[in-house]
Amino acid sequence: AQSVTQLGSHVSVSEGALVLLRCNYSSSVPPYLFWYVQYPNQGLQLLLKYTTGATLVKGINGFEAEFKKSETSFHLTKPSAHMSDAAEYFCAVSPGPNDYKLSFGAGTTVTVRA
Amino acid sequence: KAGVTQTPRYLIKTRGQQVTLSCSPISGHRSVSWYQQTPGQGLQFLFEYFSETQRNKGNFPGRFSGRQFSNSRSEMNVSTLELGDSALYLCASSLEVEQFFGPGTRLTVL
């Protein structure tokens, strides 16, 4: 079984500051890991994913995440926050190829201060 | 390519009624998954269909059901609605690993 823990339900950052969202997972098999973003009244948009290979993954809108197996973590970062980054972010895990069941974390709401 | 579409976008029902939600996946995608999103429980997996067969199922009561048609379009049905079924229902379609989500159907049960 897979599960995801996101540390911090709310994060507030200043425009131009580092954004760091924490995600830890548990999985009985090598997992596939994802970060999604959700804007109000919209569906989920994929920011980035880790399946195999390079552990530092770059995504859209300047986000990146690093898969650390020893720490069972997949933290999301962006060097410089923009007002448009204000949204809710979800970390998710799936068991692997051909199993599309996603288990989501509780989400982290990001507020960006001018 | 057109994205995942869901209809209707908003729905208001009363307790005891039933409801059917529709999802049209991205062209060529054969897998469709459904998720329920609520403030209290977050995002929870309902079920996944692949080539008209339910391939995976979450931990929801039998009142929640779904099906997939030969053109990959999918519907989910909730019978005997309860107040707790009020939620955003999200559909996602997949070709390989990546799931693409639709905008969701907001169901309100009064």
Side-chain angles (χ1 to χ4, degrees):
Chain A
Q2 289 74 39
S3 67
V4 175
T5 301
Q6 289 183 240
L7 298 174
S9 59
H10 289 88
V11 168
S12 180
V13 298
S14 297
E15 194 173 18
L18 171 72
V19 179
L20 170 60
L21 305 183
R22 300 179 188 275
C23 171
N24 289 88
Y25 69 90
S26 68
S27 177
S28 55
V29 298
Y32 285 8
L33 294 159
F34 308 83
W35 275 99
Y36 284 89
V37 61
Q38 185 177 35
Y39 298 99
N41 298 315
Q42 294 188 26
L44 302 175
Q45 180 183 12
L46 182 68
L47 285 174
L48 48 79
K49 65 180 184 289
Y50 169 80
T51 54
T52 58
T55 56
L56 183 61
V57 180
K58 294 187 185 300
I60 62 171
N61 301 339
F63 286 94
E64 63 180 38
E66 186 171 10
F67 170 62
K68 291 188 176 181
K69 185 178 179 181
S70 61
E71 298 177 9
T72 61
S73 69
F74 191 57
H75 301 332
L76 180 72
T77 60
K78 181 174 180 177
S80 177
H82 190 271
M83 297 299 287
S84 60
D85 295 327
E88 189 161 20
Y89 293 78
F90 294 93
C91 182
V93 61
S94 75
N98 299 319
D99 189 334
Y100 298 154
K101 176 182 177 179
L102 288 172
S103 298
F104 286 90
T108 298
T109 300
V110 172
T111 303
V112 182
R113 305 186 303 272
Chain B
K1 235 181 203 181
V4 178
T5 58
Q6 293 187 244
T7 57
R9 290 293 312 276
Y10 301 91
L11 208 49
I12 299 175
K13 292 286 187 180
T14 57
R15 279 182 298 175
Q17 288 187 309
Q18 75 165 20
V19 67
T20 299
L21 312 181
S22 181
C23 171
S24 293
I26 294 171
S27 177
H29 288 193
R30 294 165 64 190
S31 168
V32 174
S33 299
W34 288 89
Y35 294 84
Q36 181 196 65
Q37 185 176 25
T38 61
Q41 299 299 316
L43 281 153
Q44 294 185 285
F45 172 80
L46 280 156
F47 28 65
E48 183 224 347
Y49 286 87
F50 182 86
S51 294
E52 302 179 65
T53 301
Q54 187 180 85
R55 190 162 69 170
N56 214 336
K57 188 178 188 305
N59 189 25
F60 277 82
R63 299 186 296 108
F64 292 81
S65 63
R67 59 177 175 169
Q68 187 180 34
F69 301 94
S70 58
N71 61 358
S72 293
R73 190 177 70 85
S74 177
E75 289 180 347
M76 69 163 281
N77 184 277
V78 188
S79 63
T80 319
L81 284 166
E82 301 177 359
L83 295 179
D85 297 333
S86 293
L88 180 67
Y89 289 89
L90 294 164
C91 164
S93 75
S94 307
L95 183 60
E96 295 179 344
V97 170
E98 192 169 328
Q99 292 195 39
F100 297 84
F101 283 80
T105 293
R106 173 78 61 186
L107 172 65
T108 301
V109 182
L110 302 176

